């Protein structure tokens, strides 16, 4: 069974940093889109960053571009989201999702595997 487990969330002051991790298991495909989403209370789920494994291709939303970095440790089958210069508006539940065996990162309905989420809270 495909499983994604997020960790690394917490509470930090504005300007601080956190590194989220998403460990995957239960699949063997070599090209997958791994994507971080976030959702704050009263707001729709928002794509933050994604990485297409095996290609080096990455994408970032305008809201986080220049502050967040997505990366992967292939040996550990883990994707990371390094978050720097955090702002209060970054406060949200962060989710890791996967679209398996794809040539490109798809639109949101094609992400069928999701983790449970990890909370990030940024105080001013």
């Amino acid at each position: 069974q495909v499983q994604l487990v997020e960790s690394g969330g917490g509470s930090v002051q504005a300007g601080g940093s956190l590194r989220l991790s998403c460990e995957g298991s239960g699949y063997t495909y070599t090209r997958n889109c791994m994507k971080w989403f976030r959702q704050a209370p009263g707001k729709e789920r928002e794509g933050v960053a994604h990485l297409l494994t095996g290609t080096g291709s990455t994408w970032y939303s305008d809201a986080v571009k220049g502050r967040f970095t997505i990366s992967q440790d292939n040996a550990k089958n883990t994707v990371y989201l390094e978050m720097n210069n955090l702002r209060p508006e970054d406060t949200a539940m962060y989710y890791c999702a996967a679209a398996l065996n794809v040539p490109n990162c798809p639109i949101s309905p094609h992400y069928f595997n999701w983790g449970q989420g990890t909370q990030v809270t940024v105080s001013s």
Side-chain angles (χ1 to χ4, degrees), residues 10-100:
S11 298
V12 298
Q13 294 184 354
S17 299
L18 285 172
R19 187 178 73 163
L20 308 183
S21 63
C22 173
E23 184 174 3
S25 62
Y27 57 91
T28 59
Y29 301 112
T30 58
R31 183 160 295 183
N32 314 295
C33 187
M34 307 300 297
K35 190 161 188 171
W36 287 97
F37 295 83
R38 67 185 182 186
Q39 187 168 26
K43 299 181 66 177
E44 294 184 349
R45 185 173 294 166
E46 171 192 17
V48 175
H50 67 229
L51 178 151
L52 186 64
T53 63
T55 70
S57 177
T58 61
W59 168 88
Y60 301 92
S61 71
D62 290 340
V64 308
K65 192 175 299 181
R67 299 187 297 119
F68 292 9
T69 302
I70 189 170
S71 62
Q72 183 184 39
D73 185 331
N74 292 328
K76 297 181 178 180
N77 199 31
T78 300
V79 64
Y80 302 96
L81 185 67
E82 181 72 31
M83 305 184 296
N84 299 311
N85 193 23
L86 284 162
R87 305 167 180 170
E89 59 260 38
D90 295 319
T91 296
M93 184 72 74
Y94 283 72
Y95 299 90
C96 176
L100 304 179

